[in-house]
Structures are given as C-alpha cells and as structure tokens.
Amino acid sequence: EMSSWCLQDLGTKVNRKKIETLVTIHVHQRDIAQELMHLVRTKKVQDANDFDWLKQARFYWRPSSGDDVSNDGATVVSITDVDFNYQYEYLGSKERLVITPLTDKCYITLAQALGMYFGGAPAGPAGTGKTETTKDLGNSLGIFVVVTNCTDQMKYTDCAKIFKGLCQGGLWGCFDEFNRITLPVLSVVAQQVLAIQNAKKQGIQWFQFPGDPQNVSLQPACAFFITMNPGYAGRQELPENLKALFRGVAMMTPDFQIIKKVKMCSVGYTDFD
C-alpha cells in the first residue's frame, strides 16, 4: 500500500524522497519479520537473546535513562551487544541504503569496533559501498559523517586539524582511500588516533592532542573510519601500529538482486518479487 503512494503526486521532491525512504526501510523490516517468523517456526530462534535478532539495528526507548538532550529518557540504538545513544543531528531528508546481508555484516563489525573504542576499516574494490555503508550507519544513529578524500599531498598537520574538529564536534570522520597517504604521515596519524582512543577509553572531557600545547575537548560520540582500496599502484601498506587501531571489514560486491527489488518497490512497482 505504501508503495502505491509513490505513483501519486507527492508535491515536493523532499516529500517523494521521504516516502521512498520509508518504503525502503519497511521492505527490509518486512523481510526481517518474515525471516524471524520462519526461524521461530523451525525452532532455530528461541528468545530475544538469539543472534539472528541481536544482529539487527534495534531502536529502544529507555524512559529511566538520560542522554545529551534531556534526562527524561533516551533513544538507544543497539547493534549486537553494543548500545549507541541516538545523537539527534539534523540531517535533512536522506535516502537510505538498501540493507543487504553485506550491509548487515559491515554494521556488526563496525558496531563491535566502536564498542571497543576502535575505528572501522572497510576494505575492498571500488563500488562495493564502503563509504556509503559508513555514512548510512551514521544516518541510522543520527550522527553527521564528514568524508575526507585522502591524497598523497596530505600532511600530518592537515590530519590533526580534521581530528581535532571531529573530537570537538562529536562527529564521525570517514577517510576515503586512506592508504594513499604517505608512510611518514601515516606513522604520525597513528599517534594522533591512539591519543584520541585512549582519551575515549578513560572517559575524559579534555585531553592533550599530540603536538598541540592546548587541551582539546572530546565528545565521546566521535569516531573514525578509514576506507581502503588495496592492490592499486601508489597505495601504501598501513604501518602495524595504525592497523592495530582499526578493525577491518572485507567488502564484496553486493547482491544487486535485492537492491533492484527494493528500488522497484520504492518507486511504485507492486509485482517486484
């Protein structure tokens, strides 16, 4: 029924995008509900602690806890055993990615990495959705994701400015093609990332950023992601001390069949299966 709304005159472009996004999300939710029902019938899922349920991005309202906005309850997004407070960043009407099994796998790994105060490092060939999946996870949690395209011209001072800005704003940073940066710069970046991660683990509000005499304020929601396209000429192998600070995700070609189905449904096709 929702899909048929897309065939009507919806007025503004923003309104159409909103309806199409709603359909995209609802198709995924319908598929998950059907899959879980099937697993319950075949006795493969027993209760709410089973992994097939826990691996989904689940939204909870916790009336007894508080967040950055107010103490009268908190919206919590849980992925596996990691809880994120919803950040309420105004992102406008955004298109959402079609959730495929690859997206699920990526979400789980990134959530686990963030839960351990590490960064995430999706790696794989071009066009597999490394950056887009990171941005989409940020959208789900209400966080703005700043994407930086890295080049071999980047100095460690440029990286320092970006890191300090992300820490103070509580934003996510996604460094695209990170292994283009030269090796001497990467070694310094490893020290900068380590200082931020240590400060997050200690739960402090101000910390000493390497090479900066002034203390930098730290919003605990900030996080860093690097995407890599291995095997190209002119790309660096990451130094070991930097590799240890990020958790890798291998990204393959997504299942285009699922994406086509959901996209067709979101523009009004009824017989899309």
Side-chain angles (χ1 to χ4, degrees):
E1 187 187 335
M2 229 182 201
S3 181
S4 63
W5 295 354
C6 300
L7 301 174
Q8 302 164 14
D9 180 17
L10 295 171
T12 59
K13 259 186 180 178
V14 172
N15 207 29
R16 175 166 290 281
K17 192 186 275 186
K18 185 171 68 179
I19 300 294
E20 285 180 9
T21 305
L22 274 173
V23 174
T24 304
I25 292 169
H26 276 278
V27 168
H28 173 62
Q29 290 176 346
R30 185 204 66 178
D31 291 348
I32 292 301
Q34 286 175 350
E35 187 189 327
L36 284 170
M37 283 301 292
H38 173 69
L39 289 169
V40 169
R41 285 197 195 102
T42 53
K43 299 281 192 294
K44 286 180 183 167
V45 168
Q46 304 293 333
D47 57 22
N49 296 319
D50 279 332
F51 183 71
D52 287 287
W53 169 243
L54 291 180
K55 71 179 184 183
Q56 308 301 333
R58 311 175 313 282
F59 284 70
Y60 295 106
W61 173 249
R62 302 262 166 85
S64 54
S65 53
D67 56 20
D68 299 342
V69 178
S70 85
N71 294 321
D72 300 335
T75 306
V76 174
V77 186
S78 299
I79 301 173
T80 59
D81 57 347
V82 186
D83 291 348
F84 301 95
N85 271 358
Y86 190 77
Q87 293 297 316
Y88 300 102
E89 181 87 49
Y90 177 69
L91 301 169
S93 185
K94 286 267 190 184
E95 269 191 60
R96 292 293 304 277
L97 281 189
V98 176
I99 307 284
T100 64
L102 177 72
T103 322
D104 268 341
K105 189 181 81 171
C106 189
Y107 275 16
I108 292 165
T109 313
L110 294 181
Q112 287 294 316
L114 292 173
M116 295 184 284
Y117 302 102
F118 288 117
T128 47
K130 301 184 290 291
T131 310
E132 286 305 317
T133 308
T134 305
K135 282 165 67 177
D136 197 63
L137 180 58
N139 287 349
S140 305
L141 306 180
I143 295 180
F144 185 62
V145 182
V146 182
V147 179
T148 308
N149 284 86
C150 300
T151 68
D152 51 4
Q153 306 296 314
M154 279 178 89
K155 308 271 190 298
Y156 73 92
T157 48
D158 304 332
C159 296
K161 281 177 193 166
I162 297 168
F163 283 135
K164 284 188 277 191
L166 295 172
C167 288
Q168 290 169 1
L171 306 174
W172 281 10
C174 180
F175 295 84
D176 230 0
E177 305 285 359
F178 191 70
N179 49 347
R180 278 186 186 174
I181 301 175
T182 55
L183 214 55
V185 176
L186 287 177
S187 299
V188 182
V189 167
Q191 294 305 311
Q192 294 171 343
V193 174
L194 182 63
I196 297 165
Q197 289 184 357
N198 285 340
K200 280 180 72 174
K201 285 173 188 170
Q202 292 164 21
I204 51 182
Q205 288 186 326
W206 296 85
F207 75 106
Q208 181 77 49
F209 192 83
D212 192 342
Q214 282 184 314
N215 277 354
V216 175
S217 70
L218 176 68
Q219 298 285 339
C222 76
F224 311 108
F225 301 88
I226 57 176
T227 72
M228 291 181 296
N229 204 328
Y232 271 92
R235 306 291 160 93
Q236 308 287 334
E237 186 64 35
L238 291 190
E240 288 300 322
N241 62 340
L242 186 56
K243 259 189 201 167
L245 306 177
F246 291 91
R247 289 288 171 265
V249 192
M251 300 288 278
M252 310 294 168
T253 311
D255 187 345
F256 290 116
Q257 205 64 34
I258 300 174
I259 296 170
K260 281 187 287 191
K261 267 192 207 170
V262 177
K263 279 291 173 201
M264 286 172 79
C265 178
S266 73
V267 292
Y269 285 90
T270 48
D271 190 14
F272 56 89
D273 279 330

